[in-house]
Amino acid sequence: MNFKNVVIFILSLITVWIVVVFFCYKGYFTNIEVGQIQLDDRPYFTTQDSVVFDTGADFSFIPSNNIGSPIFLFLSLVYDGDGNNKILPICFTQNFEVNDKVKIKNFTYISGFKNNKFKAIIGMNVLSKLNMLFLSTQNTLDIKSFDFKPQIPSSATILQYKDRISPKVTLRLDNVVIDDILIDTGFDGDLAIDEHYIEKLKSNHSCDSMISTFLTLFDTHTVKNITFSELHINERLYKNIQVLQQKKRLLGSKFLKRFDRVFWDSKNLTVYMWNENDEY
């Protein structure tokens, strides 16, 4: 084989590898088996074997000590929710089981660090390809097919988003309209908004404040935690709403779990929330 043919052969291999990596990264090979998962008692959406279903994470994370024989794809600069960053490997796995109930096949994830606090974080690169039904009375998360849709009452609270990977919505808090609030099932509070909006809300409400600490992917984060005894959210009154003061705006799992049912409709980029006594 002459030099020219060798170069062509090497370039062909590189091209094939780039195409394979692109298809893996985009999740074209990803497949999820439907099933019901029992959640634990933690406030965010976490299974009994410490797998977090995190709509606030655009990518999945699996610590290197929790999976064997991954396929390395490339290195990437990874940021956590507080802006800390590390260069970590992007890997591919053919099979990952959740509670021995649900299998996720052929998906990419970030690895390269050890963590004993969770087994894995399943992010929107996987969750955007399925529908989910949370049942608070049973504390279960049903993984459903893309075409599944339950009977939903007309009085259900409805949130719509545009970006399949970053589900940001607009909320009206009292008379204050706030855009770009990320629905984050990995955040265990009700809300997180910046100081400017909190000061507007405090002018019309009695509230209590305290300092709270919570975990990010790489570090801990200390913020002011304000509790409003009452707050209207999208014209519906809620009691004892906890709001973190920070720049990144979030709607957390504590708020979602105020409802008996939460249906995440990835196909139509819509989240429905309702209670058992709501009118159909």
Side-chain angles (χ1 to χ4, degrees):
M1 184 180 292
N2 59 37
F3 178 75
K4 180 180 180 180
N5 289 335
V6 170
V7 172
I8 292 174
F9 177 72
I10 292 174
L11 290 176
S12 298
L13 288 180
I14 293 173
T15 301
V16 170
W17 177 249
I18 291 173
V19 171
V20 170
V21 168
F22 175 79
F23 273 74
C24 290
Y25 182 76
K26 288 294 185 179
Y28 294 135
F29 303 132
T30 302
N31 178 264
I32 305 101
E33 293 184 6
V34 299
Q36 186 178 83
I37 300 170
Q38 186 68 49
L39 301 179
D40 70 7
D41 295 329
R42 279 174 281 190
Y44 39 87
F45 284 56
T46 309
T47 67
Q48 292 178 328
D49 59 348
S50 297
V51 175
V52 184
F53 283 73
D54 188 355
T55 60
D58 56 4
F59 220 72
S60 299
F61 301 82
I62 304 179
S64 55
N65 52 311
N66 286 337
I67 194 165
S69 304
I71 300 172
F72 171 79
L73 298 180
F74 57 90
L75 292 173
S76 177
L77 185 63
V78 178
Y79 290 86
D80 66 9
D82 200 27
N84 302 302
N85 64 77
K86 290 183 179 182
I87 296 176
L88 295 173
I90 304 294
C91 298
F92 177 83
T93 185
Q94 293 179 306
N95 188 57
F96 185 79
E97 291 191 7
V98 182
N99 261 17
D100 298 323
K101 299 289 184 181
V102 172
K103 291 182 180 180
I104 307 172
K105 299 180 178 180
N106 304 323
F107 73 102
T108 50
Y109 63 94
I110 297 167
S111 189
F113 61 97
K114 293 185 178 181
N115 192 305
N116 295 318
K117 296 170 185 173
F118 58 83
K119 179 181 178 182
I121 295 175
I122 305 302
M124 288 299 285
N125 67 315
V126 172
L127 300 182
S128 63
K129 301 179 183 303
L130 52 87
N131 289 346
M132 298 183 290
L133 178 64
F134 168 69
L135 307 174
S136 67
T137 53
Q138 303 174 35
N139 200 29
T140 55
L141 190 66
D142 284 7
I143 305 303
K144 300 293 187 179
S145 69
F146 222 41
D147 296 317
F148 171 82
K149 192 169 185 178
Q151 185 180 8
I152 298 172
S154 58
S155 57
T157 296
I158 301 173
L159 300 175
Q160 292 181 304
Y161 57 96
K162 296 180 181 180
D163 189 328
R164 187 170 297 279
I165 297 298
S166 183
K168 294 181 179 180
V169 298
T170 297
L171 295 179
R172 179 185 290 274
L173 308 184
D174 287 348
N175 294 318
V176 180
V177 177
I178 307 177
D179 298 319
D180 296 327
I181 299 178
L182 181 69
I183 307 176
D184 185 357
T185 55
F187 165 51
D188 62 4
D190 283 309
L191 279 165
I193 54 177
D194 34 308
E195 183 179 6
H196 167 71
Y197 293 110
I198 288 177
E199 292 304 317
K200 283 188 175 182
L201 296 173
K202 286 170 68 175
S203 64
N204 297 318
H205 293 277
S206 61
C207 57
D208 298 315
S209 300
M210 61 180 293
I211 301 299
S212 297
T213 300
F214 66 93
L215 297 174
T216 64
L217 185 62
F218 304 133
D219 205 351
T220 58
H221 184 51
T222 300
V223 294
K224 184 182 290 186
N225 189 338
I226 300 97
T227 300
F228 292 89
S229 57
E230 291 185 343
L231 194 64
H232 282 89
I233 302 177
N234 285 6
E235 301 181 357
R236 184 169 180 169
L237 182 64
Y238 297 88
K239 304 280 189 179
N240 300 318
I241 292 288
Q242 292 186 353
V243 181
L244 295 190
Q245 181 178 302
Q246 64 175 33
K247 290 183 179 180
K248 188 172 184 179
R249 303 169 189 171
L250 305 173
L251 180 69
S253 55
K254 184 176 180 180
F255 180 81
L256 300 183
K257 288 187 175 185
R258 290 174 179 267
F259 297 87
D260 296 330
R261 302 282 187 274
V262 177
F263 176 58
W264 193 288
D265 186 355
S266 292
K267 184 177 182 179
N268 297 298
L269 309 182
T270 305
V271 180
Y272 301 89
M273 299 171 287
W274 69 95
N275 292 313
E276 290 181 339
N277 58 356
D278 284 353
E279 294 183 4
Y280 285 82

